[in-house]
Amino acid sequence: MAYVATRGGEHAIEQAERLFRSDLGTISKDRVEGIRSSLPYLVDRLMGEASLYEPDLAALALAQAGGDLYEAVLLLRAYRTTQPRIAIAEPVKQPDLFTVRRISAAFKDIPGGQILGPTLDYSHRLLQVGVLTGEDYTPEPVIPAAKPAPATQPSLTDWQKAQGLIAEHPVETIAPEEIPDLTREPLLFPVPRAHKLQSLARADTGGTLALGYATTRGYGDIHPTVNEVRLAEAPVLLRHPRGTVFSAGRVRVSQAEIISKSKNLELGFSATFGWNEVKVISAAILDRATSQPNPHAASTEEFVLYHTEPVESSGFCIHFKLPHYVTFQSTLDAYRRVKADGEASGSKPVIKEPAKKEEVAL
Amino acid sequence: MTLNELTKPWAAFNYGFLDESAKRELRRKMLKAIAIPGYQVPYASREVPMARGWGTGGLQVTLTLLKPTSVVKVIDQGADDSVNACSIRKFFGRVGGAVETEDTGKASIIQSRHRIPEEKLRENQVLVLQVPDPEPLRAVQSDMSVARDMHGDADYGQMWLVLYEQLVKSGRIMQGASYPSLVNGRYVISPSPIPRWDVKKLNQADHLTILSAGREKRLYAVPPYTKVEPLVFDDVPYRVEDHQDKTCYRSQVTGFFMNELPQDDGSSAYELSDSHFGIKHIRKAGGEPVVIGETWYRQGRMD
């Protein structure tokens, strides 16, 4: 019964999981609340990539994954997919956003003004090492402005369109229930614009950054100027069957518009759940880059949308840990036979290129 | 009828994990796949509680086919007891209340990664193959939209060219596993990364095979009694792996697909890749009343 000795997979996986979980210790409500309050930008990034706005669940996913972000996205998405879609909110219009930060790099001043809001953009990034020796680091209190900024801001693009600088985009009127939903339909190319923006909204931050950065460095033809970056809270408005519109609360959102200076001034747009400026700026660049008539190979819709999908790309990468001995055995067999044939005919093996490159799929 | 009669008690998740609308979509897509053998049907692959690339495509198909009376076997690289196979099988038990088995003959659904069991499958069994990359044209056309057009036109010239180039450069076709194969004389498929040894088991089989790629959101099928022909030139026959004369050091069985185990002294030992097939032989040799099903191969040959 020698086979019995090689068994025990079930016991092994059980113990391996226990080992991982024992390193993390007990997950309590306090821990989840601690993560939620101390790591809001991480929670935001996760909610964006998981396309589920629920800070408590996101913080719980981070706690359970020990901070492994891809693991947390998978946890949250696997939960999300089992939830019914109960209603479709009213469209969110830019001037209705409760804006806390809104800047433009295109003009020194803009209608509604520039609002810095919370940012580290101009701070010196110094580690407060004193904290480790017992000196608490308490931030300086904020001094309120004499005149508070308005809660909502007009759209800069509207001004540019009125000036004739940017072409008016044709508006498609689609009934709410007709809006395609990427989570219920496969992504097919050529991709509907709704799918493209949904896909970018839940794309991996690092992935959009890498490809967005590449396209501005010469692997593409995008020279972006940030027209507007906004961090805001968007009202979620639902329509009661009787017709009244009511608010179901607010969600933190970020959005970016970039202008590419090619032949004409052209807009790229992106928005996502949570406050994540790197993501929306790079995704807006990618929106523009993938909309070019002849995009660079690294900026085609297919290339960008497939390769920035966090659950799919991370899952496939870690799947290489799984055993591949059957396929490897099959490859080995081909190599050995070539070698044997070569020796039999007295010539050296004639593999000129690695055979793996030529294999159709492994 | 009262409201109470229409409601059911709260549960953490639906039977079979996937919600009914997801299962409905999968059923429709599976029917389409069966109706057009080898055609890759796109579907809205859902996130499941398992990493993409770890069998989520097969998992969604099996979850859809599952009922409480199902008997499920899960194989990873031939083994029932490898960690991923255990984890997936446990999941079916947990969310579907399915009976778990390791015996090919007893299973109603067999989900597999990279192997087809050595014992023949019957008409009332379904084989679900996990597929990492459903697109056989990927090596010659990485753009999926263009590859879809090529399938539509049955334009497989570049595919043949790649095989021919391998022949010219290396003296033989270097394709290891996932050997491109023509289904029902129409669509070329990647038969999941099963070894060349297993591709012949799909031809005119008694059972239904559903191949599903969760990450790539495509599923396709080889219905029962359907022709599956590996792409070969008339004068260069299809050759399976040289395992005909290898003997399993554990069960002493000869003539089936083996795992090679490098030894300290520089030699190799071999063990049956189909782990439960090996266990059955060992038990039978030990005098237990074990039923071993008919096999596709006999003494390493299938003809």
Side-chain angles (χ1 to χ4, degrees):
Chain A
M1 303 294 260
Y3 263 98
V4 177
T6 68
R7 306 185 67 194
E10 257 167 82
H11 180 73
I13 57 173
E14 174 79 33
Q15 298 309 311
E17 185 179 335
R18 284 191 192 185
L19 191 58
F20 182 91
R21 297 202 191 284
S22 73
D23 282 348
L24 296 180
T26 306
I27 294 168
S28 63
K29 202 157 179 268
D30 281 353
R31 181 186 287 189
V32 173
E33 272 164 18
I35 289 172
R36 191 194 146 154
S37 58
S38 63
L39 303 170
Y41 289 92
L42 188 62
V43 168
D44 276 11
R45 176 177 164 177
L46 177 57
M47 294 192 300
E49 293 180 15
S51 52
L52 178 68
Y53 195 91
E54 221 304 345
D56 287 328
L57 288 177
L60 173 62
L62 280 168
Q64 250 178 266
D68 181 330
L69 203 57
Y70 291 105
E71 202 53 53
V73 174
L74 175 59
L75 259 170
L76 208 51
R77 282 226 197 147
Y79 175 82
R80 177 201 190 285
T81 197
T82 64
Q83 298 305 301
R85 191 175 64 171
I86 52 172
I88 295 162
E90 296 291 299
V92 177
K93 301 223 169 73
Q94 218 175 21
D96 299 337
L97 292 169
F98 296 97
T99 303
V100 299
R101 170 168 161 78
R102 183 244 199 171
I103 54 159
S104 172
F107 298 99
K108 187 172 180 187
D109 204 3
I110 46 177
Q114 307 238 18
I115 301 163
L116 291 186
T119 184
L120 288 176
D121 277 356
Y122 323 100
S123 75
H124 297 141
R125 276 76 163 195
L126 299 172
L127 267 181
Q128 300 295 331
V129 288
V131 172
L132 299 180
T133 52
E135 293 168 47
D136 283 353
Y137 177 62
T138 309
E140 301 281 337
V142 179
I143 299 166
K147 194 176 132 224
T152 58
Q153 301 286 334
S155 156
L156 175 58
T157 318
D158 283 349
W159 179 86
Q160 286 158 322
K161 283 178 183 165
Q163 293 277 319
L165 294 168
I166 296 171
E168 195 72 54
H169 200 71
V171 177
E172 296 169 64
T173 312
I174 307 173
E177 61 280 3
E178 298 295 319
I179 298 170
D181 181 349
L182 185 59
T183 66
R184 311 277 161 146
E185 297 156 38
L187 189 64
L188 293 176
F189 296 92
V191 61
R193 181 153 172 83
H195 274 184
K196 176 155 99 175
L197 293 180
Q198 287 166 17
S199 187
L200 286 172
R202 60 190 217 149
D204 177 39
T205 302
T208 54
L209 174 62
L211 294 184
Y213 179 52
T215 191
T216 60
R217 260 193 90 243
Y219 296 84
D221 191 25
I222 296 295
H223 307 283
T225 299
V226 168
N227 203 41
E228 201 187 302
V229 170
R230 273 196 206 215
L231 301 184
E233 291 191 354
V236 179
L237 300 176
L238 298 179
R239 188 175 291 273
H240 190 272
R242 282 192 194 144
T244 18
V245 173
F246 65 98
S247 169
R250 292 186 196 169
V251 292
R252 268 156 68 118
V253 293
S254 17
Q255 62 152 61
E257 282 170 2
I258 63 102
I259 287 198
S260 181
K261 300 152 288 184
S262 44
K263 270 180 249 151
N264 302 305
L265 293 181
E266 287 164 332
L267 275 180
F269 174 81
S270 170
T272 190
F273 277 149
W275 291 351
N276 186 345
E277 294 183 30
V278 162
K279 161 81 165 278
V280 284
I281 294 171
S282 56
I285 292 168
L286 287 172
D287 172 43
R288 185 66 251 149
T290 53
S291 305
Q292 302 290 96
N294 290 304
H296 187 277
S299 310
T300 64
E301 284 180 343
E302 220 190 270
F303 189 84
V304 168
L305 300 185
Y306 274 136
H307 297 131
T308 55
E309 172 38 63
V311 168
E312 279 153 25
S313 53
S314 66
F316 199 63
C317 176
I318 59 171
H319 118 282
F320 289 116
K321 292 184 282 188
L322 289 176
H324 283 79
Y325 41 75
V326 166
T327 41
F328 188 71
Q329 192 75 57
S330 202
T331 305
L332 211 56
D333 175 81
Y335 268 91
R336 280 186 175 140
R337 210 178 282 171
V338 168
K339 197 160 170 257
D341 292 351
E343 277 161 9
S345 67
S347 65
K348 286 208 300 204
V350 283
I351 302 176
K352 285 180 186 146
E353 280 174 38
K356 209 168 173 188
K357 205 179 145 200
E358 293 173 339
E359 283 189 5
V360 174
L362 264 184
Chain B
M1 187 178 285
T2 66
L3 202 56
N4 254 346
E5 288 170 332
L6 289 169
T7 56
K8 54 179 183 178
W10 184 87
F13 46 77
N14 196 31
Y15 173 77
F17 184 80
L18 295 174
D19 58 275
E20 294 307 320
S21 68
K23 286 197 254 187
R24 180 161 182 255
E25 191 214 349
L26 271 154
R27 283 190 196 107
R28 294 171 72 147
K29 298 293 162 70
M30 277 191 253
L31 287 172
K32 183 169 180 177
I34 293 164
I36 319 170
Y39 172 72
Q40 295 173 49
V41 190
Y43 71 100
S45 177
R46 306 298 170 105
E47 282 95 1
V48 288
M50 219 164 275
R52 280 275 204 258
W54 290 59
T56 58
L59 193 79
Q60 290 176 75
V61 165
T62 310
L63 287 172
T64 303
L65 297 173
L66 213 60
K67 45 187 182 177
T69 52
S70 298
V71 183
V72 185
K73 172 182 167 80
V74 183
I75 318 167
D76 190 315
Q77 306 265 313
D80 296 87
D81 55 351
S82 76
V83 286
N84 202 39
C86 285
S87 144
I88 293 175
R89 193 173 52 241
K90 253 169 74 177
F91 188 68
F92 294 139
R94 182 192 290 179
V95 304
V99 179
E100 301 171 30
T101 187
E102 299 190 355
D103 192 336
T104 300
K106 289 182 180 145
S108 58
I109 306 172
I110 299 167
Q111 181 174 326
S112 173
R113 174 169 175 261
H114 304 193
R115 276 310 312 275
I116 295 176
E118 298 290 5
E119 289 165 279
K120 268 192 165 176
L121 303 180
R122 301 180 308 267
E123 275 183 341
N124 57 355
Q125 292 179 301
V126 180
L127 175 67
V128 180
L129 285 176
Q130 303 170 196
V131 183
D133 185 356
E135 187 47 76
L137 297 170
R138 185 62 51 86
V140 295
Q141 179 49 261
S142 51
D143 192 327
M144 267 176 109
S145 323
V146 180
R148 270 174 78 78
D149 284 347
M150 289 166 72
H151 282 293
D153 296 339
D155 174 6
Y156 297 120
Q158 288 187 56
M159 194 85 231
W160 283 104
L161 193 61
V162 164
L163 296 174
Y164 179 70
E165 281 179 354
Q166 291 180 13
L167 261 181
V168 172
K169 284 183 186 167
S170 310
R172 60 155 291 150
I173 292 172
M174 293 304 290
Q175 188 70 33
S178 51
Y179 195 98
S181 305
L182 185 67
V183 178
N184 199 32
R186 178 58 181 85
Y187 286 101
V188 169
I189 63 161
S190 167
S192 165
I194 53 172
R196 300 190 299 284
W197 183 274
D198 285 347
V199 175
K200 294 170 91 175
K201 299 174 182 174
L202 290 170
N203 184 42
Q204 298 293 351
D206 296 345
H207 71 278
L208 164 66
T209 304
I210 295 179
L211 303 101
S212 179
R215 191 177 45 83
E216 298 280 337
K217 307 175 188 73
R218 298 279 188 279
L219 63 83
Y220 46 111
V222 177
Y225 310 111
T226 301
K227 199 151 83 171
V228 176
E229 307 156 276
L231 298 187
V232 283
F233 298 99
D234 290 347
D235 52 346
V236 184
Y238 184 71
R239 291 169 85 180
V240 300
E241 291 79 358
D242 265 328
H243 290 192
Q244 291 85 341
D245 50 2
K246 301 274 186 290
T247 303
C248 173
Y249 85 100
R250 289 180 159 136
S251 63
Q252 311 310 317
V253 174
T254 297
F256 292 97
F257 195 84
M258 300 283 172
N259 293 330
E260 179 173 351
L261 309 168
Q263 301 296 299
D264 290 344
D265 64 2
S267 66
S268 292
Y270 291 89
E271 63 165 16
L272 279 173
S273 159
D274 184 336
S275 70
H276 199 73
F277 185 61
I279 291 173
K280 279 183 168 180
H281 278 282
I282 293 169
R283 287 198 180 139
K284 196 169 187 186
E288 289 181 48
V290 178
V291 183
I292 296 176
E294 196 196 336
T295 56
W296 315 83
Y297 282 88
R298 277 175 292 278
Q299 283 87 45
R301 296 185 63 84
M302 187 198 272
D303 40 33

